[in-house]
Each structure stands twice: as structure tokens, then as C-alpha cells.
């Protein structure tokens, strides 16, 4: 008997509908509980599409303390990974070659871009921007490289318009759902119910879309502009890290896993 397909959902909060300020992304902050509820609803919509198609689904809570999604708001049958696994996959920990595809929910514009008031890459107070092979990289970029190393393709992404446009440039076949557009410190959001409907419809379409596993370059040259010159001094203690200027370092990795490990070490 053929094994049932399972899809992997990696979820973040900054790209969720209505989330606009950092306080809404942190436990105890003004608006955090509402953000968690909408994050759970948008993840639930993606899960519903997968389960109704007859597949299994595993959700990876990938934001902050990784304990934001309310499991009881997800449909029965959805498995949820909470907390950090101390694994180089980070937001993708738990993904392996057995999965049929990756679905990204609540993703956001990267550091070094103006696509969101919450634009950042990994840690907003440590990284000003991060390039891979000379191109601005987002968390989607790095996570999709990691997925490719496992032999798994990205099939869907929701979040702000900037990350959806960027994802489409990197993976032309991916299905996207932009739930908000951002200008300065403001966000223009569609209705939360419309966002859930858009995500469910998009994921349903993505499940029948052929998306190739992304090709991994032979070398991954990572340039990281850090927020302080002290971070640069600390990063240079790691073998293979080069100084480009007072705030920027470079590391050349052979695999996405190596890239992720060194990114964490460079951040300190």
C-alpha cells in the first residue's frame, strides 16, 4: 500500500494578517494574544486544505519561543511541533525526505528591505541584512535551501506582499497568498476571515501544482551585515569567517545545514 503523503507547515507570526508592531509578536505584548489567535486560524486554514485533500500534515511553530500556535484551534489530525529542537533546521526542524512539500504561513520581508515594518532575518536586533551569493536572502530563502537539501520542494507561502513577490522570483511555480501590503510603519490588511479563505484556497491549489526541488549551488557565500562592530569581532573567532568591513563578515558554506550552523554562530 502506498504511504499517505504528509505536508510540512513552517509558521511565523510577523507575516500574519494585522500584525504590525513588534509588541504584537512577543508574549505579554499589546496585541500578542490576538496575533496568536490569527496565526492559529491561518495555520488551521492551511491544515484544513491538506487534510480535506486526504493527506497528513505536521505544523512547525517557528516564531519566538515556538509556543504561539493554539493547538486546539487546528483541525483534528494536525500534529504540532512546539519549542526548539536544538537542530540546525531551526524553523524547519523535523523536516526530512519523507515529506511531500513545504507550506509557509505568516512569512515576512527580509532585513535590508522596506517590505514590512517588521522586516528582519532571524534576529532583528542582530542582523542588518544577509546576502547569499550576492542576493538579499530572507528566512524563506534559507529555509527553502534547507528543504532542498532534504529533497523537498516549497509549494505555498502566505505573508506580506513583499515576501510573496520575493518567493515568486525565487520559485516561479510556488502559489502565494499576500494577506497585507506594508508602507513605512503601517500595514494594509485584508479581512482576517478573507485571509483564511485565501490561504485555504491557495494551499488546495498548491497541492496539485508541480514545483521542483530547488537546485543548491555548489557554494553558498553568505555575507552578513551585523548591528555592531563588537559582533564582528566575535564572529571572526570562528574558522572560515572573513571580515569585509567594520560591520560585515563573510562565510562560504558547502551545504545549507553548514550555512545555518554558521549563521547562528556568527550572530553569537
Amino acid at each position: 500500500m502506498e504511504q499517505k503523503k504528509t505536508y510540512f507547515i513552517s509558521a511565523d507570526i510577523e507575516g500574519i494578517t494585522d500584525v504590525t508592531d513588534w509588541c504584537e509578536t512577543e508574549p505579554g505584548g499589546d496585541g500578542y494574544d490576538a496575533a496568536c489567535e490569527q496565526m492559529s486560524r491561518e495555520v488551521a486554514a492551511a491544515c484544513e486544505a491538506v487534510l480535506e485533500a486526504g493527506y497528513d500534515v505536521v505544523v512547525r511553530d517557528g516564531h519566538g519561543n515556538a509556543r504561539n500556535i493554539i493547538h486546539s484551534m487546528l483541525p483534528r489530525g494536525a500534529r504540532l511541533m512546539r519549542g526548539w529542537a536544538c537542530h540546525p533546521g531551526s524553523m524547519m526542524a523535523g523536516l526530512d525526505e519523507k515529506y511531500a512539500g513545504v507550506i509557509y504561513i505568516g512569512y515576512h520581508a527580509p532585513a535590508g528591505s522596506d517590505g514590512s515594518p517588521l522586516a528582519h532575518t532571524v534576529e532583528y536586533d542582530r542582523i542588518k541584512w544577509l546576502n547569499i551569493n550576492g542576493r538579499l536572502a530572507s528566512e524563506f530563502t534559507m529555509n527553502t535551501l534547507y528543504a532542498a537539501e532534504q529533497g523537498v520542494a516549497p509549494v505555498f507561502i502566505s505573508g506580506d506582499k513583499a515576501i510573496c513577490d520575493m518567493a515568486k522570483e525565487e520559485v516561479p511555480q510556488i502559489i502565494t497568498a499576500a494577506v497585507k501590503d506594508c508602507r513605512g510603519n503601517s500595514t494594509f490588511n485584508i479581512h482576517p476571515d478573507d485571509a483564511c479563505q485565501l490561504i485555504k484556497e491557495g494551499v488546495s491549489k498548491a497541492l496539485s501544482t508541480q514545483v521542483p526541488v530547488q537546485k543548491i549551488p555548489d557554494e553558498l557565500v553568505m555575507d552578513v551585515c551585523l548591528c555592531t562592530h563588537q559582533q564582528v569581532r566575535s564572529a571572526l573567532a570562528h574558522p572560515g569567517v572573513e571580515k569585509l568591513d567594520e560591520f560585515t563578515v563573510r562565510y562560504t558554506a558547502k551545504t545549507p545545514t553548514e550555512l545555518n550552523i554558521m549563521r547562528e554562530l556568527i550572530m553569537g
Side-chain angles (χ1 to χ4, degrees), residues 124-150:
Y124 72 88
D125 58 350
R126 297 183 186 182
I127 294 177
K128 290 184 178 179
W129 52 259
L130 186 152
N131 285 357
I132 296 176
N133 292 350
R135 183 170 180 167
L136 189 66
S138 65
E139 291 169 13
F140 168 80
T141 308
M142 292 181 287
N143 291 344
T144 294
L145 283 169
Y146 180 80
E149 190 177 8
Q150 316 310 312

Side-chain angles (χ1 to χ4, degrees), residues 226-238:
L226 296 162
C227 290
T228 70
H229 61 85
Q230 293 93 337
Q231 288 173 289
V232 171
R233 286 179 178 271
S234 178
L236 292 173
H238 301 293

Side-chain angles (χ1 to χ4, degrees), residues 47-124:
C47 290
E48 288 168 6
V50 175
L51 293 167
E52 289 174 12
Y55 306 128
D56 287 334
V57 64
V58 171
V59 178
R60 175 76 179 99
D61 189 326
H63 171 72
N65 60 18
R67 302 194 308 273
N68 310 277
I69 295 169
I70 304 164
H71 201 174
S72 61
M73 292 183 65
L74 305 187
R76 293 185 65 176
R79 288 177 288 166
L80 174 63
M81 184 178 180
R82 305 178 78 231
W84 293 108
C86 303
H87 185 277
S90 189
M91 297 173 75
M92 306 292 279
L95 181 72
D96 59 31
E97 72 284 352
K98 296 190 293 294
Y99 285 89
V102 181
I103 295 163
Y104 302 91
I105 301 294
Y107 270 57
H108 52 81
S113 76
D114 63 355
S116 168
L118 305 177
H120 72 283
T121 302
V122 188
E123 296 287 352
Y124 72 88

Side-chain angles (χ1 to χ4, degrees), residues 193-241:
D193 292 342
D194 292 335
C196 292
Q197 181 179 344
L198 190 66
I199 288 167
K200 185 173 181 179
E201 291 173 351
V203 172
S204 295
K205 181 180 179 181
L207 299 179
S208 59
T209 302
Q210 295 296 316
V211 182
V213 175
Q214 298 306 287
K215 187 178 185 301
I216 302 172
D218 293 334
E219 286 188 337
L220 297 164
V221 181
M222 175 175 63
D223 293 342
V224 185
C225 183
L226 296 162
C227 290
T228 70
H229 61 85
Q230 293 93 337
Q231 288 173 289
V232 171
R233 286 179 178 271
S234 178
L236 292 173
H238 301 293
V241 177

